[in-house]
Amino acid sequence: MSRAMQCQGCLPWGWARLPRSLAGTRGTRSVSVCAAAVPGGAGRRFLRRILGTSSISLPRGCVRYQGGSQENSAQPSSPRHGQSQLRSVAFSGAIKKHQKSLSAWFSHQPNEERQFGPSFSLDAVHVDPVIRESSLEEILKPSPDLTIQNQLQQPSRKVISLQSLFDVDACGRQVKNVVLYGTVGTGKSTLIKKMVVDWCHGRLPRFQLVIPFSCEDLSHSHAHVSLRRLVTKKYQHLRDVVPVLEASNLSVLFILNGLERLNLDFRLAGTELCCDPNEPVPPSAIVVNLLRKYLLPEASIIVTTRPSAVRRIPGKYVGRYAEICGFSDTNLQKLYFQMRLSQPGCSGEESQERHSAEQENLVEMLSRNLERHNQITAACFLPSYCWLVCTTLHFLYFTRTVPPSQTLTGIYTSFLRLNFSGEVLDSTDPTQISMMKYVAKTVGKLAYEGVMSRKTCFSEEDLRQCFEVEMKTESELNLLEVFRSDVFRFFLSPCVQPGKEHTFVFTIPAMQAYLAALYVVLGEKKTLMQRVGKELSEVLGKVSEDVAVVVNIISKVLPLRFLPVLFNLLKIFPRYFSRVGGKDRDTIAHTMAEELFKEEDYYNDDVLDQINSSILGVEGPMRHPDEAPDDEVFELFPIFMGGILSRRNRAILEQLGCSIKNLAAFEIAKAMKKTVIRKGRRGLPPSELMDYLFFLHEFQNERFTAEAIPLRAVNLSSVKMTPLKCSVLASVMSTTCHEVEELNLTSCNLDSGSLRTLFPVLLRCKALHLQLNSLGSDACKEIRDLLLHDKCAVSSLRLANNPVGEQGARYLAEALAGNRSLTQLSLLHTSLGDPGAEAIAQHLAQNQHLQELNLGYNSLTDTAALRVVEVAKRHETLDKVHLYFNDISEDGKRALDSLRMDRDGVRALVFLTAGTDVSDYWSHILNVVQRNLPFWDRERVRQHLALLLQDLESSRSQTANPWRKAKFLRVESEVKKMLGKLQDGSL
């Protein structure tokens, strides 16, 4: 007995507890015998001798025979408790290690998720999709019309939770096998990851052991393997648990993710029966016998698959069908956006309070757009598209710097990789065409034709033309059926516009532009002659080389010297076709240039603002149904074409089965230099120029960008320069080190952060326009650092109509003292006041290069104005000081006039008059007023104009020169005209 107990401590399995009634004792006691101590037949004979019985049968694992009477029923060590204690000792350590390993693996997020901050995790942002109980009959019957109502509302089907999938069915039978199916993008894989992580953290107590398998991995394994070996090979921590799975009472769950990757044959002739976990069989046979319940009949199994593969499992082996319906409830969509966009660290580290408010604003705007039941509601039916929306918003709003890999095209390419990586459309089809390749050829064609015809809504006839016209074989029709059931709703959804309920649109508008671009760049846009010629050239190219070698050898022996000439002629055809094929590259480059510089798109919003509006909507009254819609805009199409050609995106598309060769990309870039660069150097409107810069950023070709960027004048006035756009501008301009003649960033919503991002670009600008940007003292501190930099090339700086203030003036004064490049500085209407002007005057003497200083409309009094002019008078290069529209009295005017008369080269522009004559700069002053009137206080401007008019009339009365009187009258008429328009509100 002591020997048996000693073995029990060493070997946790292999025990047989056998009863024996001992003579002279009351009741029955348990006798524990270690079957492992004496293996084989000797062990059996040993047991027979002890038990006095002629036959004994020992199972493979642990067999327990418990004898007992009423007297022993109260013993502390009950049989069930003994089993539990045995499992606890033997299995708990292994299972804990297994849980730790699974948690680390399934909690790991792809690179695309790391942009959301370090605090992002699956537990923090997961929202369970809607799961509805289904049946095989519902799966096989024809689907109803695909409308938004059918997508978002399915009240006739029972909603079931993930934890209830294995509850008893309607007939009271225990469910063991569950098939969980859903179309691409509904969240099957994410749901399984969350399920495994929940079990690892103790939130799925129904199962004591969870063993997940990827059917994709199983499909690549063709060697025979046992279930025991299959599990222990993948999960080494379970090597002590697997041998007793069948004999133990552990509740085990097998997860088979992506069953569509496996070709299963449930016929006995195709897959033999197997009930031994140690018997090597093909991996598909293991799956079949697990589902048949020949292997581990007590184990629970959950299978995820696409709808087209559900019928591969006979219905008799399935206890419950459940469909993942995505976020069919808009409240789930809102919850997902709230959790995803409100993650700490999502918006970066600096100014956390400000960015938290921006996050809340984004969520609010997105919620309002969802409540309008716009097209985005239909798109966010799929959790995958909710992810894309959040990723795009993060890219638009929280990108402070743009790493080389961070592009909009990269986001869409990565999005497709997350959903289609390694996916074959139909694993039973011999062509094994990748799902993304099929999409590019079919949906891409539809998208391209829509772009060319400026159309976003497609009828059933349009779909038939793109998908069914070229269907010739049974295999092609089968592929189309799989695509319809599994993938169609991922890319196309019913239109929500009134009157267009039976038409389809791309689920995300930008996806149409992306797929159209992919269709063109892949070279799928070919005529029949081009396709036949390409195939023929490839065949002749391969055959002619081999035959030519053989013929050359034979011709040396036999007089057949004319044959090599014939085969050399055959070689000419592939070469000729390669030259003709090169024209395809020219066509792609030409298409890109034509679409990028369409004149009808010149005055649209830039593409980044268009994407923002498509997601968050446009605030304001909704369009009337009878109102004519705006023309469709596809400015993203050429930008995506350039982005797809970048090296990183080509590498990802290669994984998806869409190969773009390096030579093809090189030839397209070479052809683009003839068209894109030439057109890009023409004068473009600001929004169109921003699109061009964004195209260059997406293209990710530094050599091409260095030749393509315009260096004479970059005019982005009135473009809302978000942090992303500033990063794009800085990234593109960093490809060259040449100076920029002029950079116009007037009214671009810049702040100190924007100036910090653009710092390398601003250093190289000669003329810098920063008017109307609400730049305060913090921004002036950045400008000070810019002007004091050794490599600063800024010669003209305009800061008009910015709230610079006194503190900002002090920073600028420090910059003036040490700067050596600045010749013109405009501080018109910057709220300097007398202290700010005094600070500038104090440091002005240390400057040696300034030629013109504008301090107009700054509420300067006589003292400050005189102080500035006195310093300017002694300045070596300062020639002109603007002081109009300040609070200068008549006495101050006379004092300034006397300084002007006694000046050494300085001209002070104060009034429209200069003594008894009209100022030479009267038209300049009035033009400044007219240009800035929308941003100035109209009442104050009216008062100043009245003062100027009085001054003109007074000066005219003091002169007797008729020529001068005529000049005064002309200027007076211009002032009166401006006053009249100002009072009428027409100016």
Side-chain angles (χ1 to χ4, degrees), residues 132-133 138 141 153-159:
R132 297 184 186 276
E133 192 164 4
E138 291 185 10
K141 73 178 181 181
Q153 298 176 1
Q154 296 177 341
S156 59
R157 297 170 57 188
K158 176 186 175 183
V159 176

Side-chain angles (χ1 to χ4, degrees), residues 612-847:
N612 182 68
S613 299
S614 70
I615 295 175
L616 299 180
V618 179
E619 296 296 324
M622 297 183 66
R623 183 190 299 275
H624 192 274
D626 297 334
E627 186 179 350
D630 297 330
D631 293 335
E632 300 295 346
V633 179
F634 295 96
E635 293 179 89
L636 268 176
F637 169 56
I639 292 175
F640 277 143
M641 287 179 69
I644 288 171
L645 289 170
S646 69
R647 184 182 298 273
R648 178 177 180 272
N649 287 319
R650 284 190 286 117
I652 297 176
L653 288 169
E654 180 78 28
Q655 301 172 16
L656 298 176
C658 300
S659 177
I660 304 171
K661 302 299 182 184
N662 290 333
L663 180 61
F666 173 77
E667 290 178 348
I668 293 172
K670 185 177 178 181
M672 284 167 56
K673 291 183 179 180
K674 305 173 185 177
T675 54
V676 175
I677 293 180
R678 185 180 69 250
K679 293 187 177 184
R681 286 179 173 172
R682 299 183 309 186
L684 297 173
S687 61
E688 195 70 12
L689 178 58
M690 187 68 240
D691 290 346
Y692 181 54
L693 294 173
F694 190 59
F695 165 80
L696 295 175
H697 169 69
E698 294 285 313
F699 192 37
Q700 295 285 294
N701 188 324
E702 291 189 6
R703 182 180 299 178
F704 180 90
T705 301
E707 298 179 24
I709 56 175
L711 293 175
R712 292 190 58 83
V714 180
N715 181 12
L716 296 173
S717 60
S718 301
V719 174
K720 185 179 180 182
M721 294 298 291
T722 61
L724 172 62
K725 294 177 188 176
C726 292
S727 299
V728 168
L729 177 59
S731 174
V732 170
M733 299 299 286
S734 67
T735 57
T736 179
C737 57
H738 298 296
E739 290 184 351
V740 181
E741 293 293 330
E742 181 181 4
L743 177 59
N744 190 347
L745 296 175
T746 301
S747 188
C748 289
N749 293 86
L750 300 178
D751 56 16
S752 57
S754 305
L755 297 180
R756 201 175 302 118
T757 302
L758 293 171
F759 193 90
V761 181
L762 303 181
L763 276 177
R764 296 157 38 205
C765 297
K766 291 184 177 180
L768 185 57
H769 301 269
L770 300 176
Q771 305 97 298
L772 295 164
N773 278 298
S774 302
L775 299 177
S777 58
D778 291 340
C780 290
K781 190 175 181 180
E782 299 295 331
I783 295 173
R784 178 199 64 182
D785 297 340
L786 170 72
L787 294 176
L788 292 177
H789 198 279
D790 293 339
K791 296 182 180 180
C792 179
V794 178
S795 60
S796 176
L797 176 60
R798 299 184 181 276
L799 289 170
N801 299 306
N802 283 298
V804 172
E806 179 184 348
Q807 184 58 47
R810 296 186 187 281
Y811 289 134
L812 295 176
E814 294 175 19
L816 280 176
N819 179 266
R820 294 181 303 226
S821 63
L822 196 62
T823 59
Q824 294 179 339
L825 175 61
S826 174
L827 296 173
L828 175 70
H829 190 219
T830 51
S831 306
L832 299 182
D834 285 353
E838 181 64 32
I840 290 175
Q842 184 179 353
H843 290 80
L844 194 57
Q846 303 174 43
N847 182 278

